């Protein structure tokens, strides 16, 4: 049995970047959720799932629910990737809103991602535009974390990725 598997879902590439970094650091196998086969789970003791955060939802948690029958016997954790700087209160709310029912209690770790407004899908651009309009009515000192991030990204592509964000995941794996 192999020690671990990293399964990730990446919309713009940042989660894939973190998944590859984590695979390099741990020696775990790494696979895009699109290429995943449920039979693969039998070969691993630990499964780490990574995905992005969009509009306060961790994308792809349905993966965990779908395979929970096999996953509940394994060591499981999630890392999520978002553009905003870490805020403990916001992260606790994100966790409470996303980890319910059978997946409640799974450890989740935050990694800061990137934001390139030009590369966003139209729905994501519209969301950014709404945040921008809200921020423009305020003094910069009153911006929410989302507003700060959007206003910074309007000046150009931002990349806050850093391997150090993965250290808590590595520590969890032990």
């Amino acid at each position: 049995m192999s020690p671990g598997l990293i399964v990730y879902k990446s919309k713009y590439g940042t989660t894939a970047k973190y998944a590859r970094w984590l695979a390099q650091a741990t020696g775990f196998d790494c696979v895009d959720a699109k290429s995943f086969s449920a039979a693969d789970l039998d070969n691993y003791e630990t499964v780490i799932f990574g995905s992005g955060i969009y509009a306060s939802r961790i994308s792809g948690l349905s993966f965990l629910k779908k395979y929970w029958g096999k996953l509940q016997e394994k060591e499981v954790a999630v890392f999520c990737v978002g553009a905003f700087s870490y805020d403990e209160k916001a992260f606790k709310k994100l966790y409470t809103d996303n980890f319910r029912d059978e997946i409640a209690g799974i450890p989740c770790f935050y990694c800061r991602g990137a934001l390139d407004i030009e590369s966003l899908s139209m729905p994501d651009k519209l969301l950014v535009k709404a945040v921008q309009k809200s921020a423009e009515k305020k003094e910069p000192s009153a911006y929410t974390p989302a507003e700060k991030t959007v206003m910074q990204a309007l000046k150009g592509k931002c990349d806050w990725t850093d391997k150090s964000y993965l250290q808590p995941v590595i520590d969890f794996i032990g």
Side-chain angles (χ1 to χ4, degrees), residues 55-75:
S56 299
R57 305 301 302 162
I58 300 172
S59 176
L61 289 182
S62 58
F63 168 87
L64 295 176
K65 292 176 181 179
K66 180 177 180 178
Y67 298 108
W68 189 244
K70 287 188 169 204
L71 288 171
Q72 66 186 344
E73 300 167 6
K74 304 188 180 295
E75 187 172 44

Side-chain angles (χ1 to χ4, degrees), residues 13-162:
T14 309
T15 303
K17 182 180 187 179
Y18 275 113
R20 288 189 298 271
W21 282 345
L22 187 58
Q24 289 170 352
T26 61
F28 283 16
D29 292 335
C30 184
V31 63
D32 187 318
K34 295 176 199 168
S35 305
F36 174 78
S37 168
D40 293 339
L41 287 177
D42 295 334
N43 301 319
Y44 300 97
E45 298 170 5
T46 302
V47 177
I48 308 296
F49 179 74
S51 190
I53 302 168
Y54 305 99
S56 299
R57 305 301 302 162
I58 300 172
S59 176
L61 289 182
S62 58
F63 168 87
L64 295 176
K65 292 176 181 179
K66 180 177 180 178
Y67 298 108
W68 189 244
K70 287 188 169 204
L71 288 171
Q72 66 186 344
E73 300 167 6
K74 304 188 180 295
E75 187 172 44
V76 178
V78 172
F79 71 89
C80 57
V81 180
F84 309 139
S85 57
Y86 180 79
D87 177 88
E88 187 161 348
K89 183 179 175 183
F91 186 73
K92 284 181 179 179
K93 179 167 178 22
L94 176 80
Y95 185 90
T96 301
D97 291 348
N98 283 269
F99 287 85
R100 297 181 178 180
D101 304 322
E102 65 269 27
I103 65 169
I106 293 176
C108 183
F109 305 93
Y110 183 80
C111 300
R112 191 158 189 208
L115 183 56
D116 178 8
I117 294 172
E118 295 302 314
S119 73
L120 296 178
S121 67
M122 188 52 67
D124 290 343
K125 281 183 182 178
L126 292 173
L127 182 60
V128 165
K129 192 70 167 168
V131 172
Q132 176 189 358
K133 285 188 182 240
S134 172
E136 288 173 342
K137 299 173 187 172
K138 300 178 180 179
E139 290 293 321
S141 61
Y143 288 167
T144 65
E147 291 166 341
K148 283 181 192 175
T149 299
V150 166
M151 297 309 279
Q152 185 178 3
L154 287 171
K155 298 174 186 171
K157 185 177 179 179
C158 296
D159 185 344
W160 301 281
T161 58
D162 190 311

